[in-house]
Amino acid sequence: MASSLTKDSPSSGEKTFFGHPRGLATLFMTEMWERFSYYGMRALLPLYLIAPGGLDMNAGTATAIYSVYLSLVYLLAMPGGWFGDRVWGPRKTVAIAGGVIMLGHLTLALPSEATFFAGLGLVAIGSGLLKSNISTMVGHLYDGPDDPRRDGGFTIFYMGINMGAFAAPLVIGTIGENVNWHLGFALAALGMGLGVIQFLVGTRHLNERSLVVPKPLSRDERAATLRKSMIWLGVAAVFYIGTVVTGVYTLNWLLVPITIAGLVIPIMVLTRIKRDKELSDTEQSKMTGYIWFFVAAAIFWMIYDQGGSTLAIFAESSAENSVFGWDFPVSWYQSVNPVLIMALAPVFATFWLALNRRGKEPSTIVKFSSGLVLVGASFFVFLMPLTIAGDGHKAAAMWLVAIYFIQTVAELTLSPVGLSVTTKMAPEKYASQMMGVWFLAVTAGDCTTGLLSLAGVELNGTGVVALEATLAVAAGIAIFIYRGKVKQLMGNVR
């Protein structure tokens, strides 16, 4: 499949992928199919949870489950990276992860509430295992950080993400909503299956470093890790079996601990790094500055990720989902962001480069604060369709498209900057772990949404939407006002 995308290198006759190592095609297609399965299922998830033909839950519970699921995917990226570094190596970890994800989607396709939640757990575990390790293997294809092709390679790789994310709601969403929910989930399994086949067939083109376990566990470490894992697993099993046997178990017994953990773990991780006495004064200062970015990012993702839950649920009940009289499935809204990313990302890259040549490119702090203000502005716009629906009318689809457009511009302003500043401000001792720390900001934001939903807060209420919008804008303005202080903490990072 991927070989049709290759061409001969003019210098050596060796096949390349748009001038990049042939292995990039393998990873590109694997990631594209994995994202196809992930975003297709994600587009169906909140709609299936509230549908009378699905699990028929209320909007608050559906939003909580959706938020907990997203937070788990990002929370598990850290142990997923650990498995790649210490146990299986990146290549084996990705192969196993793909199988786990496919099994998860097949489990989701079974018409049972118990198997549905089991499937969600499997997909989250598999996604966590895959997320960090496949990016690591892209890096292995190049001759170190200074290889001039490296940035371009990652750009092509991320295009695969957005291609899969764009196509998934159009295919899986349509089948799931209009034909059968479980058939839609089965299509997600098929997509991941194609990704696994693509990966296994193309592994010969990957760098041999991807087979290596960088820092394998010693026999004692392996035994200790297994022992601790079994103890915690046993405690959890006894606790939940006890709640079921005594008849007190409800879904909140599962959701509440996860959402609390999703808020506590990021605090614990940042505190542990900040208190490390081995860090130099400069590294300590950078970590203090990074906490500003981390908290702001959590606020950003809290609002941004509601595009798949709060906005989708609103669209299902209160929007006129049609264009020029042509009706479309609600899940199609989830294709707006990836297609805008593909269209606008090159524009942004060219724009920043042009400003840089003139010495006028905004600083990291200004870009970050702009992203926060913009995501807050998107929820101020959300107040308009909420008001229209409150008057008993259906809101036009273009209101929602406008919200997704503003959020996409905000993402392009903040997300790449956040990834960059994470790598630049990371203490040397924690260089390989800090990307996982950045993902914890997503976890914290989604868990905040989950807790609000579990507490009975109506996230589609105008008061709550206005409060969230104000919080994001205020956070963006605060970072801008105190940019001098933050810049001082950042040291030589600009």
Side-chain angles (χ1 to χ4, degrees):
M1 188 182 300
S3 60
S4 63
L5 297 173
T6 60
K7 61 181 181 181
D8 290 339
S9 169
S11 58
S12 63
E14 180 185 351
K15 284 194 171 182
T16 64
F17 183 64
F18 297 114
H20 290 267
R22 174 64 178 78
L24 184 61
T26 297
L27 300 177
F28 173 95
M29 297 298 291
T30 303
E31 182 71 355
M32 186 192 75
W33 284 116
E34 188 273 331
R35 292 290 90 180
F36 176 84
S37 70
Y38 173 80
Y39 280 101
M41 185 277 286
R42 204 175 89 162
L44 286 182
L45 179 56
L47 304 176
Y48 173 73
L49 291 172
I50 64 173
L55 296 186
D56 199 17
M57 295 179 172
N58 61 57
T61 303
T63 300
I65 293 171
Y66 179 89
S67 301
V68 166
Y69 167 69
L70 290 191
S71 69
L72 270 179
V73 168
Y74 288 95
L75 183 63
L76 293 172
M78 284 194 77
W82 181 86
F83 265 89
D85 287 341
R86 307 297 308 274
V87 183
W88 293 324
R91 190 184 300 188
K92 185 176 180 181
T93 303
V94 167
I96 292 173
V100 172
I101 293 170
M102 183 171 64
L103 177 62
H105 287 303
L106 287 172
T107 308
L108 283 169
L110 300 175
S112 160
E113 184 171 333
T115 54
F116 177 81
F117 286 107
L120 274 186
L122 287 170
V123 174
I125 291 169
S127 298
L129 287 170
L130 186 140
K131 197 168 188 65
S132 300
N133 291 285
I134 196 166
S135 296
T136 298
M137 286 195 290
V138 174
H140 286 165
L141 298 173
Y142 300 96
D143 299 325
D146 297 327
D147 190 321
R149 302 171 299 168
R150 185 183 177 94
D151 287 350
F154 272 98
T155 299
I156 294 173
F157 176 71
Y158 286 122
M159 288 298 288
I161 293 176
N162 286 290
M163 287 174 63
F166 168 70
L170 304 181
V171 178
I172 295 174
T174 302
I175 297 298
E177 285 192 69
N178 295 340
V179 181
N180 181 275
W181 295 108
H182 299 287
L183 181 57
F185 294 131
L187 276 178
L190 175 63
M192 189 65 254
L194 291 172
V196 171
I197 293 171
Q198 169 70 35
F199 183 76
L200 294 177
V201 169
T203 50
R204 66 186 185 276
H205 300 295
L206 301 177
N207 191 292
E208 291 300 311
R209 288 169 59 197
S210 66
L211 284 170
V212 177
V213 182
K215 191 181 178 183
L217 292 171
S218 66
R219 181 177 297 179
D220 291 341
E221 287 176 321
R222 188 180 292 269
T225 301
L226 183 60
R227 183 172 60 254
K228 291 177 182 177
S229 300
M230 294 307 295
I231 289 173
W232 281 108
L233 185 62
V235 169
V238 170
F239 176 79
Y240 283 106
I241 290 173
T243 60
V244 172
V245 170
T246 57
V248 300
Y249 177 81
T250 65
L251 192 57
N252 282 356
W253 282 98
L254 181 64
L255 297 179
V256 172
I258 294 175
T259 52
I260 292 174
L263 292 172
V264 172
I265 290 174
I267 294 172
M268 290 175 60
V269 170
L270 287 171
T271 302
R272 178 173 62 85
I273 296 175
K274 190 72 180 66
R275 288 183 174 178
D276 192 333
K277 297 186 186 306
E278 294 182 14
L279 301 188
S280 65
D281 291 342
T282 300
E283 289 176 325
Q284 285 282 1
S285 176
K286 287 181 180 179
M287 279 306 302
T288 301
Y290 183 74
I291 290 172
W292 281 72
F293 291 105
F294 184 93
V295 173
I299 295 171
F300 177 89
W301 295 114
M302 176 185 70
I303 293 176
Y304 180 90
D305 276 345
Q306 288 185 61
S309 55
T310 304
L311 287 176
I313 291 171
F314 172 83
E316 172 67 21
S317 61
S318 304
E320 190 69 48
N321 304 309
S322 63
V323 177
F324 303 119
W326 176 69
D327 296 333
F328 59 86
V330 174
S331 54
W332 281 24
Y333 284 112
Q334 302 309 309
S335 287
V336 174
N337 171 259
V339 75
L340 287 175
I341 288 285
M342 289 188 285
L344 295 177
V347 175
F348 268 72
T350 303
F351 180 62
W352 295 138
L353 186 59
L355 288 179
N356 181 269
R357 287 171 179 163
R358 299 175 186 177
K360 295 181 178 180
E361 183 180 4
S363 67
T364 293
I365 298 172
V366 172
K367 290 179 183 177
F368 213 87
S369 61
S370 299
L372 275 168
V373 170
L374 283 168
V375 83
S378 75
F379 260 35
F380 278 126
V381 173
F382 188 22
L383 291 173
M384 294 301 296
L386 283 173
T387 302
I388 294 170
D391 292 337
H393 304 288
K394 292 279 189 178
M398 292 310 296
W399 280 114
L400 294 175
V401 173
I403 295 169
Y404 287 119
F405 174 81
I406 297 170
Q407 289 187 349
T408 301
V409 174
E411 179 189 3
L412 288 169
T413 305
L414 182 141
S415 187
V417 173
L419 292 168
S420 177
V421 81
T422 297
T423 58
K424 290 176 181 176
M425 296 177 72
E428 184 177 354
K429 180 179 178 180
Y430 297 99
S432 61
Q433 299 180 39
M434 283 299 287
M435 197 55 68
V437 174
W438 169 254
F439 289 144
L440 288 180
V442 186
T443 298
D446 287 329
C447 282
T448 301
T449 301
L451 276 180
L452 289 172
S453 299
L454 291 172
V457 176
E458 186 182 351
L459 294 176
N460 268 336
T462 54
V464 175
V465 169
L467 182 61
E468 290 183 78
T470 302
L471 177 63
V473 171
I477 293 173
I479 288 181
F480 182 78
I481 290 174
Y482 290 98
R483 65 190 181 280
K485 174 65 175 176
V486 178
K487 191 178 296 185
Q488 182 181 351
L489 292 169
M490 291 170 67
N492 61 351
V493 176
R494 291 292 177 266

